[in-house]
Amino acid sequence: MIIVMQAGASEAQIESVVKRVKQLGYDAHISKGEERTVIGCVGHADKSPLQQLAATPGVESVVPILKPWKLVGRQFKPESTVIDVDGELIGGDRIALMAGPCSVETEERTVEIARAVKAAGARFLRGGAFKPRTSPYAFQGLEREGLEILRAAKRETGLRIVTELLSVRDIELVCEYTDIIQIGARNCQNFALLKELGGTGKPVLFKRGMSTTLKEYLQAAEYIVAGGNPDVMLCERGIRTFEDSTRNTFDLNAVALLKQWSHLPMIADPSHGTGIWSLVAPMAAASVAAGADGLIIEVHTEPEQAWSDGQQSLRPDKFQALVEQCRRVAEAVGRSL
Amino acid sequence: MIIVMQAGASEAQIESVVKRVKQLGYDAHISKGEERTVIGCVGHADKSPLQQLAATPGVESVVPILKPWKLVGRQFKPESTVIDVDGELIGGDRIALMAGPCSVETEERTVEIARAVKAAGARFLRGGAFKPRTSPYAFQGLEREGLEILRAAKRETGLRIVTELLSVRDIELVCEYTDIIQIGARNCQNFALLKELGGTGKPVLFKRGMSTTLKEYLQAAEYIVAGGNPDVMLCERGIRTFEDSTRNTFDLNAVALLKQWSHLPMIADPSHGTGIWSLVAPMAAASVAAGADGLIIEVHTEPEQAWSDGQQSLRPDKFQALVEQCRRVAEAVGRSL
Amino acid sequence: MIIVMQAGASEAQIESVVKRVKQLGYDAHISKGEERTVIGCVGHADKSPLQQLAATPGVESVVPILKPWKLVGRQFKPESTVIDVDGELIGGDRIALMAGPCSVETEERTVEIARAVKAAGARFLRGGAFKPRTSPYAFQGLEREGLEILRAAKRETGLRIVTELLSVRDIELVCEYTDIIQIGARNCQNFALLKELGGTGKPVLFKRGMSTTLKEYLQAAEYIVAGGNPDVMLCERGIRTFEDSTRNTFDLNAVALLKQWSHLPMIADPSHGTGIWSLVAPMAAASVAAGADGLIIEVHTEPEQAWSDGQQSLRPDKFQALVEQCRRVAEAVGRSL
Amino acid sequence: MIIVMQAGASEAQIESVVKRVKQLGYDAHISKGEERTVIGCVGHADKSPLQQLAATPGVESVVPILKPWKLVGRQFKPESTVIDVDGELIGGDRIALMAGPCSVETEERTVEIARAVKAAGARFLRGGAFKPRTSPYAFQGLEREGLEILRAAKRETGLRIVTELLSVRDIELVCEYTDIIQIGARNCQNFALLKELGGTGKPVLFKRGMSTTLKEYLQAAEYIVAGGNPDVMLCERGIRTFEDSTRNTFDLNAVALLKQWSHLPMIADPSHGTGIWSLVAPMAAASVAAGADGLIIEVHTEPEQAWSDGQQSLRPDKFQALVEQCRRVAEAVGRSL
């Protein structure tokens, strides 16, 4: 931490801050400039107690210097994490492909979609049984029945299952059925939920919140890892900005930067990231080029009949074309799909 | 809903959309312009099934016309809601004043602050026993011990208690101690939590999320009211924007607009809304002028020793001055404090 | 400036940075923490040459410490600036009231509106003769004819004139007619235009850009003052955020914070700040409570016939009510209107 | 346009709106729902006069249906525009590569960089002689001397020149030296400048503003094309959002969506889009995958000595590697570089 004193701070104020820094257990390095005095605080890793000094008379600001995460960072673990989901690897050279409907609908429909995405090359089936919906009057998901349908689709196709968990009350239930727990954007800073993921032993697909900064996002991921679960995949799914021609602003900078800051695998969700089906294929290709370790794509055999998110779902033939183009781009950047 | 067809949409495409609209149970009114055909969908109140038509060939966009909430809107209930919290009214002519520390710290400190804010005119004591913290390594709150301290402070001062609930697991515990349940910004769209608030019978101080639009916010409040709990207070606490000189951008437009759209009381939180103690008093006065029904303010007897949020906390003397100015502004707009 | 070295930076890298800092003419204070070395740079006021060091091997970031403006700041000039516009003062105890149509339309209409706003208490007439319009096909303003109409309205009412300047080509023309030059949000960082305002000798109403941070905004104002024109009024008119229920997000934090950072008068524009006529009165009152030195309000005698911005314009009776309420709020905060 | 009436609008109000719609020269189609009446307005292409009806009693909102641009859209001209810059084509199969320093510095340095980027495959040299700088005290560019240096670099290498124009006062001067006029983000809605570009006969590299929506951006481009200059290249350079770990949020959705909406070539600027040199190569590859027709990249032979933007400039060897990877990605998506 660097403590910047106000331009007119008195000697007594400076001394008082230095004294308090030392009381908190840090060394204080004083640097007097022409206009301002700056105090560098050196000591043990947790600098958060120093933030309260922002309210001390004479202090202008308290500026953090160190990155505020540990276990999820490349400084702690330089090599990339590879997660083994029942034999399918995520985070290595091969790009992981997850696809399926937004919501689980009927068993017939779900199996039909599962077969189609498998045929195109997907190794994971996505589909929501618990749906976070803006309106209380919108379809909220089939819940347990939806999980049963996902199990049936897995039995038919062998695809691993990715499905969303909304509440701590459903942890055991969802873990019984899924291979990967999805945590959605609206729960990115639901710390009560994150704390309980540590004990599940299941890999987590952890989506960035729609207004979560990358620094906050890695600290949120740190909750899960510090809780005992190292198998976390980060996922960019678009952020909220002023632009309203797309559903979200798909922030591919995040993919490239998080690959540098963190060893965790990075999944891209161009379906939510754009919200418009015709943009999904170009943004999937761009995600692979930017360094994503996996893609999660909404696919539906009849998007105009979908119970949710039809406008951003691809038909199987378009998904097939997307996979082929992404495979070529993956090879261009030294990976496979 | 209005369905806008693409410029070159064929007759067959238009007919197919009209047929589907009717299958879903709505009437379709067709309006052919020079360049485009527009289909107005008329029928029962829930228009959400029509959104899936955005994925139909020939459709350019699906535009909602009606506001997507019901119970929380002034069309449903024109008169303003007044909530009775154990004899103290919120939502009437008198502006409700809530104040206290960010986190509950020691009993001695908490009682000291409670007495100070009561002396200045506050009728509610705020203080967090469960704290949502960005970092897993930051202080997470005293939990049950914190609730006990709040109870002691209430015994000493008679102030009603406002404290945050983070997890469905703690609902019974928190309800046992608090007069008002606070739901924080990060849980504004934690629908699993909102659904369970319906059955608590406790008033809810429901904060807007940092990137929640006003339309989403009212739909989230609708989850609580539709769940059986009409005693919801809305609360503007700042939104996330590009501006980084303040912690958040305090959106006072929201106070004025939500008072027009909804009958629920509207509380303003200028402490989080600005994040800078020297801005809290002017923004509190501005909130009252804009029509807020209450204020929630962070106050601490020694902000530079606070366990969290010291930089935005006011000392009691500054809080006293704030109250006096807000009282004059309240009278200027025909209210009391 | 503080230069933060990367965690693994070598001694040679640190030495190389220190050497370069000294070559650029600053002193370097080295502070070695457990994980990182930090270099404080002390010397003459312009620290911008140090920013290039961000690209040096071993450097993680370069953090500015001093505020990047000078003439417009309270450190340079602690007392508030009062601008004399032909006898009418802006920036003192009395709040300045500017009102009028968005665009100048016919002379008859303009004089009618001018009389109405004067009767309600306005001392300045606003109206655009040059209009910045999103579409090239929208009405672009009456230009010289509009300026003539404004002159006629001034002759009839004695109101001082505020009108927008869009291009350096029109500086002489606009200065011939107006009392205050308005620079609109889209030109907030049009530095070529700002540089030429220094020599005009006319007060400038300088609007914040829709995505200009407060730090950038004051530096932009510094262009005008450093160019030789000290008579600059700042103006908050709403920023662009994700919220789409209002035209802009009216950032009243900016009013309060800029009053602390800068000595320049601060005008609030709730008409553009909200974009909705029914929000203009509460937000005008809130602006006064937050410390604004003036208000600029769109008024039209028949908003539904206005050539632009009708949806945010007030009728004279509503404007009259706004003025009365703002007068009471002004008195509540120790000012007059 | 669709005019949505308020829930309780009277018959008289509806009739009055319909009458006004007809006065303005449109047909009105009335559609009465259970709760609301909606009026569809059909007629000639310019619907902007209808917007004023938002202020009419009984009207809730006025919703545009048509896209508000014409000449720059694919409906007007379905085939992609290819611009011939003195023999080098932009907008065809081959991706255009523009590179060079942020600011033009010395002739020696500029020629050195020009040779390096040419050797790596660039066909255009970028470099600013007029620099838009946040602070009036920062380096403002070498102006005419900088243009002379660019001419010398062109003479040495044959590269076409791209350089920024800031003011209408410099149009003739800049046109004398440059092959492509660059308009920067801060001037994206400087309509006075855009209007004068129509007569220059020079291709324009027209950057998106940092908070310009895509709909506004295309209307701004329409100013140039409607003014008589069809040779406009669009350019995504990052938008301003809450995320502060990158200088801007590089919005690749914009590249993909603008390619669908408009026939104009689309250039990507990952240097400004990210602001961090280590992200430039992955984001350049992503841009090509998303469908960009060109790249503009900041390159410097000694970034830590650069007069501006050193932190986002690549050294020639890193630029060379970027080009090679982008070439492979271009081939993967059926193009060349």
Side-chain angles (χ1 to χ4, degrees), chain A residues 110-130:
Chain A
T110 305
V111 171
E112 175 185 89
I113 295 173
R115 284 187 174 132
V117 301
K118 187 182 184 190
R123 293 183 284 145
F124 300 84
L125 177 67
R126 63 147 290 151
F130 295 89

Side-chain angles (χ1 to χ4, degrees), chain A residues 12 19 39 46 79 81 90 94 105 124 132 143 145 148 150 156 171 196 199-200 218 220 261-262 264 287 298 309:
Chain A
K19 194 175 147 198
I39 301 166
D46 179 13
E79 69 281 8
T81 287
I90 300 178
R94 191 169 172 206
E105 302 174 9
F124 300 84
E143 308 193 351
E145 184 191 341
E148 286 288 349
L150 287 170
E156 291 292 319
I171 288 183
E196 299 205 15
T200 59
L218 284 182
W261 281 355
S262 173
L264 298 174
S287 301
E298 289 192 355
D309 279 359

Side-chain angles (χ1 to χ4, degrees), chain A residues 22-259:
Chain A
K22 289 180 177 168
Q23 276 175 355
L24 290 166
Y26 304 88
D27 281 348
H29 292 204
I30 301 177
S31 163
K32 297 201 180 191
E34 259 169 64
E35 299 187 42
R36 254 154 241 253
T37 293
V38 170
I39 301 166
C41 305
V42 174
H44 42 93
D46 179 13
K47 298 292 191 303
S48 59
L50 291 163
Q51 275 170 330
Q52 60 187 247
L53 289 165
T56 308
V59 171
E60 179 159 312
S61 60
V62 176
V63 183
I65 297 301
L66 290 180
K67 295 216 160 56
W69 55 81
K70 194 178 199 82
L71 304 176
V72 303
R74 285 216 185 255
Q75 276 184 257
F76 177 77
K77 176 171 179 291
E79 69 281 8
S80 294
T81 287
V82 178
I83 298 175
D84 183 333
V85 184
D86 200 12
E88 292 286 355
L89 303 183
I90 300 178
D93 279 349
R94 191 169 172 206
I95 287 164
L97 197 54
M98 307 170 178
C102 175
S103 307
V104 175
E105 302 174 9
T106 64
E107 180 169 332
E108 191 186 354
R109 175 73 81 188
T110 305
V111 171
E112 175 185 89
I113 295 173
R115 284 187 174 132
V117 301
K118 187 182 184 190
R123 293 183 284 145
F124 300 84
L125 177 67
R126 63 147 290 151
F130 295 89
K131 298 299 303 171
R133 299 303 296 275
T134 301
S135 166
Y137 308 121
F139 172 58
Q140 305 276 320
L142 295 176
E143 308 193 351
R144 182 185 291 269
E145 184 191 341
L147 296 172
E148 286 288 349
I149 291 172
L150 287 170
R151 175 175 284 172
K154 180 177 183 180
R155 207 166 41 223
E156 291 292 319
T157 60
L159 292 172
R160 274 67 172 160
I161 300 299
V162 187
T163 200
E164 184 162 356
L165 171 68
L166 285 182
S167 171
V168 292
R169 297 224 193 275
D170 302 316
I171 288 183
E172 283 180 34
L173 175 66
V174 169
C175 283
E176 195 183 319
Y177 287 87
T178 199
D179 297 297
I180 299 176
I181 300 170
Q182 179 178 317
I183 298 296
R186 288 169 193 77
N187 284 317
C188 183
Q189 292 191 305
N190 178 349
F191 303 121
L193 181 58
L194 302 185
K195 283 177 181 174
E196 299 205 15
L197 295 174
T200 59
K202 286 276 179 186
V204 177
L205 178 71
F206 180 49
K207 291 194 165 187
R208 181 184 182 189
M210 50 188 98
S211 67
T212 309
T213 66
L214 297 183
K215 284 173 185 154
E216 290 171 342
Y217 184 32
L218 284 182
Q219 288 176 84
E222 186 94 4
Y223 267 93
I224 308 174
V225 178
N229 188 344
D231 289 342
V232 175
M233 291 158 254
L234 302 174
C235 180
E236 166 63 28
R237 45 77 72 203
I239 58 173
R240 184 156 272 184
T241 72
F242 66 85
E243 178 57 62
D244 61 359
S245 290
T246 46
R247 181 174 176 180
N248 292 291
T249 295
F250 190 40
D251 180 12
L252 278 183
N253 282 349
V255 170
L257 189 54
L258 290 175
K259 287 304 295 174

Side-chain angles (χ1 to χ4, degrees), chain C residues 20 52 55-56 133-135 137 140 168-169 190 195-196 211 216 219 222-223 240 304-306 310, chain D residues 20 52 55-56 133-135 137 140 168-169 190 195-196 211 216 219 222-223 240 304-305 310:
Chain C
R20 182 94 186 110
Q52 63 187 248
T56 309
R133 300 303 298 272
T134 302
S135 166
Y137 307 122
Q140 306 277 319
V168 292
R169 297 226 193 274
N190 179 349
K195 283 176 181 174
E196 300 206 14
S211 68
E216 290 171 344
Q219 289 177 83
E222 186 94 4
Y223 267 94
R240 184 155 271 184
E304 71 278 12
Q305 305 270 355
Chain D
R20 181 96 185 110
Q52 62 187 248
T56 308
R133 300 303 297 272
T134 301
S135 167
Y137 308 121
Q140 305 277 320
V168 291
R169 297 226 193 275
N190 178 348
K195 283 176 180 174
E196 299 206 15
S211 67
E216 289 171 343
Q219 288 177 83
E222 185 94 4
Y223 267 93
R240 184 154 271 184
E304 71 278 12
Q305 306 270 354

Side-chain angles (χ1 to χ4, degrees), chain C residues 4-5 9 12 19 43-44 77 97 153 161 170 180 196 204 207 219 235 243 249 258 300 303-304 307 318:
Chain C
V4 183
M5 301 300 294
K19 194 174 149 200
H44 42 92
K77 175 172 180 292
L97 197 54
I161 300 298
D170 303 315
I180 299 176
E196 300 206 14
V204 178
K207 292 195 164 188
Q219 289 177 83
C235 179
E243 179 56 64
T249 295
L258 290 175
H300 199 285
E304 71 278 12
W307 297 3
K318 292 218 155 48

